[in-house]
Amino acid sequence: GKGLIPVAKAIELLYLAGAAKRAGVIRPYLDHPDANIRANAALAVAIDPDSRPTVVRLLKDRGQPREVRLSALSGLSSADTAFPSYSLEIIKDKNEDREVRKAAINRLIGFINYHEINKEFLIEFTKVLKTIALKERVGPGSLGDLSKRVLSYMQRSSPSVPK
């Protein structure tokens, strides 16, 4: 029957309470027909290693609504040490949703700020940002503008990033 609170809200509350302990309860909702529920579940269980492959699949699936993909991106960026590799693939992909690419750039910068990242990866990310900054239209809130700002930040803050 009907619960006392909506499923999406229940998952959000479990996430706030520490979803890792309850991942097995939340995991089935990653395949729920309601996108809002899938989005909440993806954010909540990205921390759980057993759920992570499904959350990565949701992130990479262009058939998923943007909100699901952005929630997956958010959860994975704070939980998965492999995040840089697949986030960079999304950022590089010219056919990818621009909002997802922008979110991936922002999340990757956050990840870089809190983790030890090898120099080769930083150099590759810098090259990708330069390419985007040159090829994408620039304007407030655009992918090109974000790439230029992030590139400038990285060049100022990291000695291993080429100028």
Side-chain angles (χ1 to χ4, degrees):
K2 278 292 217 186
L4 295 175
I5 58 174
V7 173
K9 186 69 180 167
I11 292 170
E12 183 185 341
L13 293 171
L14 286 170
Y15 167 62
L16 296 172
K21 296 186 279 293
R22 297 165 187 85
V25 174
I26 300 169
R27 193 176 308 120
Y29 291 101
L30 291 170
D31 295 313
H32 196 279
D34 182 319
N36 188 33
I37 291 172
R38 282 196 311 281
N40 278 296
L43 180 63
V45 298
I47 195 166
D48 172 51
D50 294 333
S51 304
R52 203 167 296 140
T54 306
V55 179
V56 171
R57 178 178 54 75
L58 289 172
L59 168 62
K60 292 179 176 181
D61 179 0
R62 290 193 190 154
Q64 291 293 329
R66 184 185 285 161
E67 70 171 312
V68 173
R69 299 183 72 209
L70 294 177
S71 287
L73 195 62
S74 182
L76 291 165
S77 70
S78 58
D80 190 2
T81 55
F83 181 75
S85 61
Y86 55 80
S87 64
L88 190 60
E89 291 308 311
I90 287 170
I91 294 164
K92 282 183 189 177
D93 189 341
K94 292 184 284 295
N95 299 315
E96 183 57 84
D97 178 322
R98 276 187 168 71
E99 293 306 312
V100 174
R101 288 174 80 190
K102 284 169 31 182
I105 291 171
N106 283 319
R107 290 288 172 183
L108 185 51
I109 279 296
F111 187 95
I112 288 168
N113 284 336
Y114 291 98
H115 297 84
E116 197 63 43
I117 304 291
N118 72 50
K119 183 179 176 180
E120 291 74 26
F121 182 86
L122 289 176
I123 291 168
E124 185 184 0
F125 184 34
T126 304
K127 285 179 185 167
V128 170
L129 289 171
K130 281 181 180 173
T131 301
I132 293 170
L134 287 169
K135 294 190 170 160
E136 290 287 333
R137 69 176 185 79
V138 185
S142 72
L143 182 60
D145 184 56
L146 174 63
S147 296
K148 282 185 172 150
R149 285 187 292 117
V150 169
L151 187 58
S152 168
Y153 164 78
M154 285 181 67
Q155 289 169 334
R156 286 192 316 272
S157 64
S158 176
S160 62
V161 170
K163 302 286 181 257

